[in-house]
Amino acid sequence: MDCIFCKIVNDEIPGQLLLRDEYVCAFRDINPVAPSHVLIVPNKHVDSIDSLSTEDAGLAGKLLLAVKEIARMENIASSGYRVIVNNGVDGHQEVQHLHIHVIGGAPMQHQLG
Ligand code: 5GP
Ligand code: ZN
């Protein structure tokens, strides 16, 4: 499968990773929308939230805990940040490997959608 985020996770595109553990990786978005814009992905290929199974409950928790870790590393834990997961066509998901956007370092727009 030709998946750009799998390539980043597998270090086929080196020097990208901010964080790696057994389950998840984090790296900077190539087109940041705020001073800090990090993507957190599962190391195994999962298309989207919709593709998670009950066996992935632990992985889902690891992804959320990685958000907290990235916020601490990016020094935005106390100032606050936004967490977004785009899913499917209406969600404008462009990369079909589940990823959590962690966005901060400046006040967000109030509106969603
Ligand atoms: P989506 O709309 O799927 O939630 O967002 C995909 C995100 O991945 C976009 O914000 C885009 O800038 C980012 N992105 C796409 N290709 C690459 C890449 O090759 N490297 C990195 N670091 N980010 C990428
Ligand atoms: Zn992938």
Side-chain angles (χ1 to χ4, degrees), residues 27-42:
F27 49 89
R28 294 197 189 284
D29 195 294
I30 203 168
N31 187 20
V33 299
S36 174
H37 186 168
V38 174
L39 303 175
I40 299 171
V41 302

Side-chain angles (χ1 to χ4, degrees), residues 4-5 27-31 86 92-95 99 101:
I4 188 72
F5 288 177
F27 49 89
R28 294 197 189 284
D29 195 294
I30 203 168
N31 187 20
N86 296 322
H92 284 284
Q93 182 180 359
E94 286 169 11
V95 178
H99 51 282
H101 296 256

Side-chain angles (χ1 to χ4, degrees), residues 72-84:
R72 187 193 62 75
M73 289 170 63
E74 291 288 286
N75 213 17
I76 57 174
S78 57
S79 52
Y81 50 93
R82 182 165 283 166
V83 177
I84 298 171

Side-chain angles (χ1 to χ4, degrees), residues 34-78:
S36 174
H37 186 168
V38 174
L39 303 175
I40 299 171
V41 302
N43 293 348
K44 76 165 184 175
H45 184 93
V46 177
D47 281 354
S48 70
I49 284 184
D50 203 55
S51 304
L52 288 170
S53 68
T54 49
E55 288 83 56
D56 293 319
L59 176 61
K62 298 281 186 191
L63 286 163
L64 210 48
L65 287 170
V67 171
K68 177 180 167 180
E69 176 67 5
I70 284 296
R72 187 193 62 75
M73 289 170 63
E74 291 288 286
N75 213 17
I76 57 174
S78 57

